[in-house]
């Protein structure tokens, strides 16, 4: 709104009798520009071009290829650069940890749902025994695939509970568990502990 008001004041300060190159007076341009700015924040497809609402914004210095530039402009937050290959932002370990916590939650939901479906229509223990007998070389990898999301997501949940119950204190003291360095340390701990725990549970014989 502040930008809109500033633009309108700037246009009003000009001589309203001056006629623009396309034959429209500044007052007409002012009215049409006001129409365009009503939904400021989004960029209509005709922005800057002659349209039913305006003769364009060339008098403001809008480049002729601005629509092409808008198509290539990254929108924040954006994962990739304009080339679509390189990452737009760095991915610190706390971001990777957060994404992994959500991914493991989805994996657990799908896995538990599949196990429940098998149990409803058949015999789950028998299916596990059949898999073990048919693919003995895949038993340990399968146990790791099942164990790691469970282990990691459990630790991630415990960390969130600690965050919620922890007293923040004075932010200037930089002692909160939510400080970047503290989150980085807890993220490394969760990754390391979940990997070691997964390896231990995988080799155990039940």
């Amino acid at each position: 709104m502040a930008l809109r008001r500033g633009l309108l004041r700037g246009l009003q300060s000009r001589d309203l009798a001056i006629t623009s190159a396309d034959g429209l007076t500044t007052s007409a341009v002012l009215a049409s520009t006001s129409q365009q700015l009503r939904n400021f924040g989004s960029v209509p497809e005709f922005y800057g071009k002659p349209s039913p609402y305006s003769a364009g914004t060339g008098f403001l210095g809008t480049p002729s290829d601005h629509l092409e530039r808008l198509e290539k402009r990254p929108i924040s937050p954006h994962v990739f650069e304009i080339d679509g290959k390189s990452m737009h932002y760095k991915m610190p370990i706390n971001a990777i940890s957060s994404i992994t916590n959500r991914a493991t939650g989805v994996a657990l939901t799908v896995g538990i749902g599949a196990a429940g479906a098998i149990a409803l229509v058949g015999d789950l223990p028998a299916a596990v025994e059949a898999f073990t007998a048919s693919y003995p070389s895949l038993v340990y990898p399968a146990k790791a695939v099942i164990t790691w999301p469970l282990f990691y997501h459990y630790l991630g949940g415990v960390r969130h509970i600690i965050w919620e119950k922890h007293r923040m204190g004075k932010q200037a003291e930089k002692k909160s568990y939510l400080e970047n360095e503290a989150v980085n340390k807890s993220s490394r701990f969760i990754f390391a502990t979940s990997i070691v725990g997964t390896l231990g549970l995988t080799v155990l014989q039940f």
Side-chain angles (χ1 to χ4, degrees):
M1 293 297 296
L3 178 59
R4 176 186 171 185
R5 289 193 296 268
L7 179 59
L8 294 181
R9 290 196 194 98
L11 290 173
Q12 288 173 339
S13 64
R14 298 175 60 184
D15 186 1
L16 296 181
I18 298 177
T19 302
S20 60
D22 52 18
L24 295 177
T25 63
T26 304
S27 58
V29 175
L30 175 64
S32 60
T33 303
S34 176
Q35 175 71 23
Q36 285 191 351
L37 290 174
R38 287 178 182 177
N39 295 320
F40 184 76
S42 60
V43 181
E45 61 181 4
F46 54 78
Y47 179 77
K49 299 288 186 180
S51 70
Y53 304 104
S54 172
T57 57
F59 69 97
L60 294 175
T62 302
S64 59
D65 62 341
H66 74 283
L67 291 180
E68 291 76 9
R69 295 187 182 187
L70 288 177
E71 291 178 358
K72 296 180 180 180
R73 182 181 62 183
I75 300 176
S76 182
H78 206 278
V79 178
F80 297 99
E81 291 285 1
I82 294 178
D83 58 12
K85 299 178 181 179
S86 57
M87 296 290 291
H88 187 67
Y89 296 108
K90 292 181 179 179
M91 295 294 287
I93 190 170
N94 53 4
I96 297 174
S97 175
S98 177
I99 295 172
T100 303
N101 194 37
R102 287 158 176 76
T104 51
V106 173
L108 288 173
T109 301
V110 174
I112 294 173
I118 295 174
L120 286 174
V121 301
D123 188 347
L124 182 59
V128 174
E129 292 178 1
F131 175 83
T132 303
S134 301
Y135 308 98
S137 62
L138 296 180
V139 171
Y140 287 114
K143 289 174 66 176
V145 168
I146 295 172
T147 303
W148 185 76
L150 182 61
F151 213 121
Y152 185 94
H153 199 72
Y154 177 80
L155 293 176
V158 171
R159 178 171 67 169
H160 273 275
I161 293 176
I162 294 174
W163 283 347
E164 291 175 1
K165 300 299 182 181
H166 174 63
R167 184 176 179 180
M168 295 295 293
K170 298 179 180 179
Q171 294 184 354
E173 295 178 355
K174 303 294 183 180
K175 295 181 179 180
S176 169
Y177 290 159
L178 292 176
E179 291 293 331
N180 283 337
E181 187 56 35
V183 176
N184 289 342
K185 289 180 179 179
S186 63
S187 298
R188 296 188 188 97
F189 174 81
I190 291 177
F191 274 115
T193 305
S194 62
I195 292 173
V196 173
T198 298
L199 293 175
L201 293 176
T202 298
V203 299
L204 282 179
Q205 298 292 334
F206 296 98

Short mmCIF file of all heavy atoms in Angstrom, two decimals, residues 134-158:
data_model
loop_
_atom_site.label_atom_id
_atom_site.label_comp_id
_atom_site.label_asym_id
_atom_site.label_seq_id
_atom_site.Cartn_x
_atom_site.Cartn_y
_atom_site.Cartn_z
N SER A 134 12.23 -67.01 1.25
CA SER A 134 12.42 -66.82 -0.20
C SER A 134 13.60 -65.92 -0.52
O SER A 134 14.27 -66.11 -1.55
CB SER A 134 11.14 -66.22 -0.81
OG SER A 134 10.03 -67.06 -0.58
N TYR A 135 13.86 -64.92 0.32
CA TYR A 135 14.94 -63.96 0.04
C TYR A 135 15.83 -63.79 1.28
O TYR A 135 15.83 -62.72 1.92
CB TYR A 135 14.35 -62.60 -0.37
CG TYR A 135 13.35 -62.68 -1.48
CD1 TYR A 135 11.98 -62.69 -1.19
CD2 TYR A 135 13.75 -62.75 -2.80
CE1 TYR A 135 11.04 -62.75 -2.22
CE2 TYR A 135 12.83 -62.82 -3.84
CZ TYR A 135 11.47 -62.83 -3.53
OH TYR A 135 10.55 -62.89 -4.55
N PRO A 136 16.58 -64.80 1.64
CA PRO A 136 17.42 -64.71 2.85
C PRO A 136 18.48 -63.62 2.78
O PRO A 136 18.84 -63.05 3.82
CB PRO A 136 18.05 -66.11 2.94
CG PRO A 136 17.97 -66.65 1.55
CD PRO A 136 16.72 -66.09 0.96
N SER A 137 18.97 -63.31 1.58
CA SER A 137 20.00 -62.27 1.46
C SER A 137 19.45 -60.87 1.68
O SER A 137 20.21 -59.91 1.88
CB SER A 137 20.67 -62.36 0.09
OG SER A 137 19.71 -62.13 -0.94
N LEU A 138 18.13 -60.72 1.63
CA LEU A 138 17.51 -59.40 1.79
C LEU A 138 16.97 -59.18 3.20
O LEU A 138 16.38 -58.12 3.47
CB LEU A 138 16.37 -59.22 0.78
CG LEU A 138 16.76 -59.21 -0.70
CD1 LEU A 138 15.52 -59.03 -1.56
CD2 LEU A 138 17.77 -58.12 -0.99
N VAL A 139 17.16 -60.16 4.08
CA VAL A 139 16.59 -60.04 5.42
C VAL A 139 17.21 -58.87 6.18
O VAL A 139 16.50 -58.02 6.75
CB VAL A 139 16.79 -61.35 6.21
CG1 VAL A 139 16.41 -61.14 7.68
CG2 VAL A 139 15.96 -62.46 5.60
N TYR A 140 18.55 -58.81 6.19
CA TYR A 140 19.21 -57.73 6.93
C TYR A 140 18.95 -56.35 6.32
O TYR A 140 18.66 -55.39 7.06
CB TYR A 140 20.71 -58.01 7.03
CG TYR A 140 21.03 -59.13 7.99
CD1 TYR A 140 21.57 -60.32 7.54
CD2 TYR A 140 20.80 -58.99 9.36
CE1 TYR A 140 21.87 -61.36 8.42
CE2 TYR A 140 21.10 -60.01 10.25
CZ TYR A 140 21.62 -61.20 9.77
OH TYR A 140 21.91 -62.21 10.65
N PRO A 141 19.03 -56.20 5.00
CA PRO A 141 18.66 -54.90 4.43
C PRO A 141 17.22 -54.51 4.74
O PRO A 141 16.94 -53.32 5.01
CB PRO A 141 18.88 -55.09 2.93
CG PRO A 141 19.91 -56.15 2.83
CD PRO A 141 19.62 -57.09 3.97
N ALA A 142 16.32 -55.48 4.71
CA ALA A 142 14.92 -55.18 5.00
C ALA A 142 14.74 -54.73 6.46
O ALA A 142 14.00 -53.79 6.75
CB ALA A 142 14.04 -56.39 4.71
N LYS A 143 15.47 -55.40 7.36
CA LYS A 143 15.40 -55.01 8.78
C LYS A 143 15.94 -53.59 8.97
O LYS A 143 15.38 -52.81 9.76
CB LYS A 143 16.19 -56.01 9.63
CG LYS A 143 15.54 -57.37 9.75
CD LYS A 143 16.45 -58.35 10.48
CE LYS A 143 16.65 -57.96 11.94
NZ LYS A 143 17.44 -58.96 12.67
N ALA A 144 17.01 -53.25 8.25
CA ALA A 144 17.58 -51.90 8.36
C ALA A 144 16.61 -50.85 7.81
O ALA A 144 16.44 -49.77 8.41
CB ALA A 144 18.91 -51.83 7.63
N VAL A 145 15.97 -51.18 6.70
CA VAL A 145 15.02 -50.24 6.08
C VAL A 145 13.83 -49.99 7.01
O VAL A 145 13.29 -48.88 7.07
CB VAL A 145 14.54 -50.79 4.72
CG1 VAL A 145 13.35 -49.99 4.20
CG2 VAL A 145 15.68 -50.75 3.71
N ILE A 146 13.43 -51.01 7.76
CA ILE A 146 12.31 -50.85 8.68
C ILE A 146 12.75 -50.16 9.97
O ILE A 146 12.05 -49.30 10.51
CB ILE A 146 11.70 -52.23 9.01
CG1 ILE A 146 11.08 -52.84 7.75
CG2 ILE A 146 10.66 -52.11 10.12
CD1 ILE A 146 10.62 -54.27 7.92
N THR A 147 13.95 -50.51 10.46
CA THR A 147 14.40 -50.03 11.76
C THR A 147 14.82 -48.56 11.73
O THR A 147 14.49 -47.80 12.66
CB THR A 147 15.58 -50.88 12.27
OG1 THR A 147 15.18 -52.24 12.32
CG2 THR A 147 16.04 -50.43 13.64
N TRP A 148 15.55 -48.15 10.69
CA TRP A 148 16.11 -46.80 10.72
C TRP A 148 15.05 -45.71 10.77
O TRP A 148 15.15 -44.78 11.60
CB TRP A 148 17.05 -46.57 9.54
CG TRP A 148 17.71 -45.23 9.64
CD1 TRP A 148 18.72 -44.86 10.46
CD2 TRP A 148 17.35 -44.06 8.89
NE1 TRP A 148 19.04 -43.54 10.28
CE2 TRP A 148 18.21 -43.01 9.33
CE3 TRP A 148 16.41 -43.79 7.90
CZ2 TRP A 148 18.14 -41.74 8.80
CZ3 TRP A 148 16.34 -42.50 7.38
CH2 TRP A 148 17.19 -41.50 7.83
N PRO A 149 13.99 -45.73 9.92
CA PRO A 149 12.96 -44.67 10.04
C PRO A 149 12.31 -44.65 11.43
O PRO A 149 12.03 -43.58 11.97
CB PRO A 149 11.95 -45.04 8.96
CG PRO A 149 12.70 -45.86 7.98
CD PRO A 149 13.69 -46.63 8.78
N LEU A 150 12.08 -45.84 11.99
CA LEU A 150 11.47 -45.90 13.32
C LEU A 150 12.38 -45.28 14.37
O LEU A 150 11.96 -44.48 15.21
CB LEU A 150 11.15 -47.35 13.66
CG LEU A 150 10.46 -47.60 15.01
CD1 LEU A 150 9.11 -46.90 15.03
CD2 LEU A 150 10.29 -49.10 15.25
N PHE A 151 13.67 -45.65 14.31
CA PHE A 151 14.64 -45.15 15.28
C PHE A 151 14.81 -43.63 15.12
O PHE A 151 14.77 -42.88 16.10
CB PHE A 151 15.98 -45.85 15.06
CG PHE A 151 16.77 -46.07 16.31
CD1 PHE A 151 17.13 -47.35 16.71
CD2 PHE A 151 17.16 -45.01 17.11
CE1 PHE A 151 17.86 -47.56 17.87
CE2 PHE A 151 17.89 -45.21 18.27
CZ PHE A 151 18.24 -46.50 18.65
N TYR A 152 15.01 -43.18 13.89
CA TYR A 152 15.25 -41.75 13.65
C TYR A 152 14.04 -40.92 14.04
O TYR A 152 14.16 -39.88 14.70
CB TYR A 152 15.61 -41.51 12.18
CG TYR A 152 16.00 -40.09 11.90
CD1 TYR A 152 17.34 -39.70 11.92
CD2 TYR A 152 15.04 -39.11 11.64
CE1 TYR A 152 17.70 -38.38 11.68
CE2 TYR A 152 15.40 -37.80 11.41
CZ TYR A 152 16.73 -37.44 11.43
OH TYR A 152 17.08 -36.13 11.21
N HIS A 153 12.86 -41.35 13.63
CA HIS A 153 11.65 -40.56 13.89
C HIS A 153 11.34 -40.52 15.38
O HIS A 153 10.85 -39.49 15.89
CB HIS A 153 10.47 -41.14 13.12
CG HIS A 153 9.33 -40.18 12.96
ND1 HIS A 153 9.38 -39.10 12.12
CD2 HIS A 153 8.11 -40.13 13.55
CE1 HIS A 153 8.24 -38.42 12.17
NE2 HIS A 153 7.46 -39.02 13.06
N TYR A 154 11.64 -41.58 16.08
CA TYR A 154 11.44 -41.59 17.53
C TYR A 154 12.35 -40.55 18.19
O TYR A 154 11.90 -39.77 19.03
CB TYR A 154 11.72 -42.98 18.08
CG TYR A 154 11.61 -43.05 19.59
CD1 TYR A 154 10.36 -43.16 20.20
CD2 TYR A 154 12.75 -43.01 20.39
CE1 TYR A 154 10.26 -43.21 21.59
CE2 TYR A 154 12.65 -43.06 21.77
CZ TYR A 154 11.40 -43.16 22.37
OH TYR A 154 11.30 -43.21 23.73
N LEU A 155 13.63 -40.55 17.82
CA LEU A 155 14.56 -39.58 18.39
C LEU A 155 14.16 -38.15 18.02
O LEU A 155 14.26 -37.22 18.83
CB LEU A 155 15.98 -39.87 17.92
CG LEU A 155 16.61 -41.17 18.43
CD1 LEU A 155 17.99 -41.37 17.79
CD2 LEU A 155 16.72 -41.17 19.94
N GLY A 156 13.71 -37.97 16.78
CA GLY A 156 13.26 -36.64 16.37
C GLY A 156 12.06 -36.18 17.17
O GLY A 156 11.94 -35.00 17.53
N GLY A 157 11.16 -37.11 17.49
CA GLY A 157 10.00 -36.76 18.31
C GLY A 157 10.39 -36.39 19.72
O GLY A 157 9.84 -35.43 20.30
N VAL A 158 11.35 -37.12 20.30
CA VAL A 158 11.84 -36.80 21.64
C VAL A 158 12.47 -35.40 21.64
O VAL A 158 12.27 -34.61 22.57
CB VAL A 158 12.86 -37.85 22.11
CG1 VAL A 158 13.53 -37.40 23.40
CG2 VAL A 158 12.18 -39.20 22.31
#
